[in-house]
Amino acid sequence: MAAMVLAFITPILSARLLRKYRDEALDGTLKFGRGWVYVLYQFFYASVLFAVAQFIYFNFIDKGQFMDEVTKMLLAPENKEALKAIGFQGLEETLEMMRQMRPIDQVLNILTSNLLIGCIMGLPIAAFCKKEK
């Protein structure tokens, strides 16, 4: 639940920081490109810090518990049926491949996803906060 709240709040917080940057550092003017790059930097540094925390967690604390929970969730009968209904094949093979991944591989996959999400979310945030004289 906390992860969903944070995911919802992230673009709002990012837009607030961009507006504050626009109003206080740039005297109220901000072009789209500059705003997008600012949001990209926000997501980049946040993603790197998050990746470091995840690596520490997966490497030293987790000991496979996260993958056990993912496996338990995906192999539940209702989720198996839902995956079959959308045409997903090879669940067991996929879970075994994920289980064999090293912590650094898991973290790099999540980091890449976070950076891609930041690039995409940065476009409407920069468009919303742009202000030219």
Side-chain angles (χ1 to χ4, degrees):
M1 188 66 167
M4 291 179 71
V5 170
L6 287 174
F8 180 73
I9 290 175
T10 298
I12 296 168
L13 179 62
S14 182
R16 267 187 91 194
L17 290 171
L18 182 59
R19 278 184 289 177
K20 186 174 182 178
Y21 171 67
R22 174 194 69 197
D23 294 338
E24 293 180 12
L26 300 177
D27 296 325
T29 61
L30 178 72
K31 293 187 178 188
F32 173 78
R34 188 173 196 163
W36 188 54
V37 170
Y38 183 83
V39 173
L40 289 180
Y41 275 124
Q42 283 180 350
F43 274 90
F44 174 76
Y45 289 118
S47 296
V48 168
L49 289 172
F50 188 52
V52 169
Q54 284 178 324
F55 179 73
I56 291 169
Y57 173 76
F58 284 135
N59 204 33
F60 301 111
I61 300 169
D62 182 56
K63 307 296 184 207
Q65 183 181 356
F66 176 75
M67 278 310 301
D68 290 342
E69 291 298 319
V70 169
T71 301
K72 197 183 321 177
M73 179 187 69
L74 290 176
L75 291 179
E78 61 274 4
N79 292 333
K80 250 184 159 176
E81 290 300 319
L83 290 172
K84 188 182 277 187
I86 62 170
F88 186 78
Q89 301 289 328
L91 177 62
E92 286 80 14
E93 295 87 14
T94 303
L95 287 172
E96 184 58 34
M97 196 171 19
M98 287 174 63
R99 193 174 282 290
Q100 293 177 359
M101 290 174 63
R102 300 175 301 163
I104 190 70
D105 297 329
Q106 292 175 340
V107 169
L108 288 175
N109 282 337
I110 296 169
L111 174 68
T112 305
S113 299
N114 288 342
L115 292 175
L116 181 62
I117 290 168
C119 288
I120 294 168
M121 283 178 49
L123 295 171
I125 292 170
F128 180 72
C129 294
K130 119 181 157 158
K131 189 176 184 183
E132 296 182 33
K133 287 185 179 178

PDB file of all heavy atoms in Angstrom, residues 58 61-70 99:
ATOM      1  N   PHE A  58      18.715  -6.590  -1.133  1.00  0.00           N
ATOM      2  CA  PHE A  58      18.729  -7.892  -1.797  1.00  0.00           C
ATOM      3  C   PHE A  58      19.983  -8.694  -1.482  1.00  0.00           C
ATOM      4  O   PHE A  58      19.935  -9.914  -1.368  1.00  0.00           O
ATOM      5  CB  PHE A  58      18.596  -7.736  -3.320  1.00  0.00           C
ATOM      6  CG  PHE A  58      17.212  -7.427  -3.785  1.00  0.00           C
ATOM      7  CD1 PHE A  58      16.994  -6.441  -4.737  1.00  0.00           C
ATOM      8  CD2 PHE A  58      16.118  -8.108  -3.301  1.00  0.00           C
ATOM      9  CE1 PHE A  58      15.723  -6.155  -5.185  1.00  0.00           C
ATOM     10  CE2 PHE A  58      14.836  -7.827  -3.734  1.00  0.00           C
ATOM     11  CZ  PHE A  58      14.639  -6.843  -4.681  1.00  0.00           C
ATOM     12  N   ILE A  61      20.212  -8.576   3.204  1.00  0.00           N
ATOM     13  CA  ILE A  61      19.095  -8.744   4.131  1.00  0.00           C
ATOM     14  C   ILE A  61      18.085  -9.781   3.642  1.00  0.00           C
ATOM     15  O   ILE A  61      17.631 -10.616   4.416  1.00  0.00           O
ATOM     16  CB  ILE A  61      18.398  -7.386   4.379  1.00  0.00           C
ATOM     17  CG1 ILE A  61      19.394  -6.404   4.983  1.00  0.00           C
ATOM     18  CG2 ILE A  61      17.179  -7.542   5.278  1.00  0.00           C
ATOM     19  CD1 ILE A  61      18.907  -4.976   5.030  1.00  0.00           C
ATOM     20  N   ASP A  62      17.734  -9.760   2.381  1.00  0.00           N
ATOM     21  CA  ASP A  62      16.598 -10.514   1.849  1.00  0.00           C
ATOM     22  C   ASP A  62      16.760 -12.028   1.915  1.00  0.00           C
ATOM     23  O   ASP A  62      15.864 -12.727   2.363  1.00  0.00           O
ATOM     24  CB  ASP A  62      16.340 -10.076   0.414  1.00  0.00           C
ATOM     25  CG  ASP A  62      15.148 -10.765  -0.183  1.00  0.00           C
ATOM     26  OD1 ASP A  62      14.067 -10.673   0.420  1.00  0.00           O
ATOM     27  OD2 ASP A  62      15.300 -11.387  -1.238  1.00  0.00           O
ATOM     28  N   LYS A  63      17.836 -12.562   1.432  1.00  0.00           N
ATOM     29  CA  LYS A  63      18.111 -14.010   1.411  1.00  0.00           C
ATOM     30  C   LYS A  63      17.010 -14.808   0.709  1.00  0.00           C
ATOM     31  O   LYS A  63      16.639 -15.894   1.133  1.00  0.00           O
ATOM     32  CB  LYS A  63      18.321 -14.559   2.827  1.00  0.00           C
ATOM     33  CG  LYS A  63      19.361 -13.842   3.639  1.00  0.00           C
ATOM     34  CD  LYS A  63      20.728 -13.972   3.049  1.00  0.00           C
ATOM     35  CE  LYS A  63      21.741 -13.310   3.971  1.00  0.00           C
ATOM     36  NZ  LYS A  63      22.891 -12.847   3.310  1.00  0.00           N
ATOM     37  N   GLY A  64      16.444 -14.255  -0.381  1.00  0.00           N
ATOM     38  CA  GLY A  64      15.466 -14.973  -1.183  1.00  0.00           C
ATOM     39  C   GLY A  64      14.019 -14.807  -0.763  1.00  0.00           C
ATOM     40  O   GLY A  64      13.119 -15.362  -1.395  1.00  0.00           O
ATOM     41  N   GLN A  65      13.759 -14.066   0.281  1.00  0.00           N
ATOM     42  CA  GLN A  65      12.394 -13.906   0.776  1.00  0.00           C
ATOM     43  C   GLN A  65      11.499 -13.187  -0.237  1.00  0.00           C
ATOM     44  O   GLN A  65      10.339 -13.547  -0.413  1.00  0.00           O
ATOM     45  CB  GLN A  65      12.401 -13.145   2.093  1.00  0.00           C
ATOM     46  CG  GLN A  65      11.044 -12.991   2.723  1.00  0.00           C
ATOM     47  CD  GLN A  65      11.097 -12.212   4.024  1.00  0.00           C
ATOM     48  OE1 GLN A  65      12.163 -11.840   4.491  1.00  0.00           O
ATOM     49  NE2 GLN A  65       9.941 -11.974   4.600  1.00  0.00           N
ATOM     50  N   PHE A  66      12.030 -12.170  -0.908  1.00  0.00           N
ATOM     51  CA  PHE A  66      11.262 -11.415  -1.897  1.00  0.00           C
ATOM     52  C   PHE A  66      10.788 -12.336  -3.020  1.00  0.00           C
ATOM     53  O   PHE A  66       9.609 -12.321  -3.395  1.00  0.00           O
ATOM     54  CB  PHE A  66      12.109 -10.265  -2.453  1.00  0.00           C
ATOM     55  CG  PHE A  66      11.435  -9.491  -3.546  1.00  0.00           C
ATOM     56  CD1 PHE A  66      10.423  -8.596  -3.245  1.00  0.00           C
ATOM     57  CD2 PHE A  66      11.808  -9.647  -4.872  1.00  0.00           C
ATOM     58  CE1 PHE A  66       9.793  -7.878  -4.253  1.00  0.00           C
ATOM     59  CE2 PHE A  66      11.184  -8.940  -5.879  1.00  0.00           C
ATOM     60  CZ  PHE A  66      10.178  -8.051  -5.570  1.00  0.00           C
ATOM     61  N   MET A  67      11.692 -13.157  -3.562  1.00  0.00           N
ATOM     62  CA  MET A  67      11.314 -14.062  -4.645  1.00  0.00           C
ATOM     63  C   MET A  67      10.337 -15.130  -4.164  1.00  0.00           C
ATOM     64  O   MET A  67       9.464 -15.567  -4.922  1.00  0.00           O
ATOM     65  CB  MET A  67      12.552 -14.708  -5.267  1.00  0.00           C
ATOM     66  CG  MET A  67      13.248 -13.839  -6.289  1.00  0.00           C
ATOM     67  SD  MET A  67      12.152 -13.152  -7.552  1.00  0.00           S
ATOM     68  CE  MET A  67      11.464 -14.604  -8.281  1.00  0.00           C
ATOM     69  N   ASP A  68      10.464 -15.558  -2.909  1.00  0.00           N
ATOM     70  CA  ASP A  68       9.495 -16.512  -2.366  1.00  0.00           C
ATOM     71  C   ASP A  68       8.095 -15.916  -2.353  1.00  0.00           C
ATOM     72  O   ASP A  68       7.119 -16.593  -2.709  1.00  0.00           O
ATOM     73  CB  ASP A  68       9.895 -16.930  -0.943  1.00  0.00           C
ATOM     74  CG  ASP A  68      11.142 -17.792  -0.908  1.00  0.00           C
ATOM     75  OD1 ASP A  68      11.502 -18.357  -1.966  1.00  0.00           O
ATOM     76  OD2 ASP A  68      11.751 -17.893   0.170  1.00  0.00           O
ATOM     77  N   GLU A  69       7.994 -14.647  -1.966  1.00  0.00           N
ATOM     78  CA  GLU A  69       6.685 -13.981  -1.937  1.00  0.00           C
ATOM     79  C   GLU A  69       6.131 -13.769  -3.341  1.00  0.00           C
ATOM     80  O   GLU A  69       4.935 -13.940  -3.577  1.00  0.00           O
ATOM     81  CB  GLU A  69       6.780 -12.643  -1.195  1.00  0.00           C
ATOM     82  CG  GLU A  69       7.020 -12.784   0.285  1.00  0.00           C
ATOM     83  CD  GLU A  69       5.898 -13.517   0.996  1.00  0.00           C
ATOM     84  OE1 GLU A  69       4.712 -13.279   0.685  1.00  0.00           O
ATOM     85  OE2 GLU A  69       6.224 -14.350   1.864  1.00  0.00           O
ATOM     86  N   VAL A  70       6.994 -13.387  -4.289  1.00  0.00           N
ATOM     87  CA  VAL A  70       6.552 -13.208  -5.677  1.00  0.00           C
ATOM     88  C   VAL A  70       6.059 -14.540  -6.239  1.00  0.00           C
ATOM     89  O   VAL A  70       5.013 -14.606  -6.889  1.00  0.00           O
ATOM     90  CB  VAL A  70       7.694 -12.616  -6.539  1.00  0.00           C
ATOM     91  CG1 VAL A  70       7.353 -12.679  -8.017  1.00  0.00           C
ATOM     92  CG2 VAL A  70       7.990 -11.184  -6.128  1.00  0.00           C
ATOM     93  N   ARG A  99      14.596 -16.370 -10.144  1.00  0.00           N
ATOM     94  CA  ARG A  99      15.196 -16.864  -8.910  1.00  0.00           C
ATOM     95  C   ARG A  99      16.714 -17.010  -9.042  1.00  0.00           C
ATOM     96  O   ARG A  99      17.444 -16.879  -8.066  1.00  0.00           O
ATOM     97  CB  ARG A  99      14.552 -18.194  -8.542  1.00  0.00           C
ATOM     98  CG  ARG A  99      14.844 -18.658  -7.162  1.00  0.00           C
ATOM     99  CD  ARG A  99      14.059 -19.901  -6.834  1.00  0.00           C
ATOM    100  NE  ARG A  99      12.670 -19.665  -6.506  1.00  0.00           N
ATOM    101  CZ  ARG A  99      12.252 -19.068  -5.389  1.00  0.00           C
ATOM    102  NH1 ARG A  99      13.101 -18.643  -4.522  1.00  0.00           N
ATOM    103  NH2 ARG A  99      10.968 -18.901  -5.156  1.00  0.00           N
TER     104      ARG A  99
END
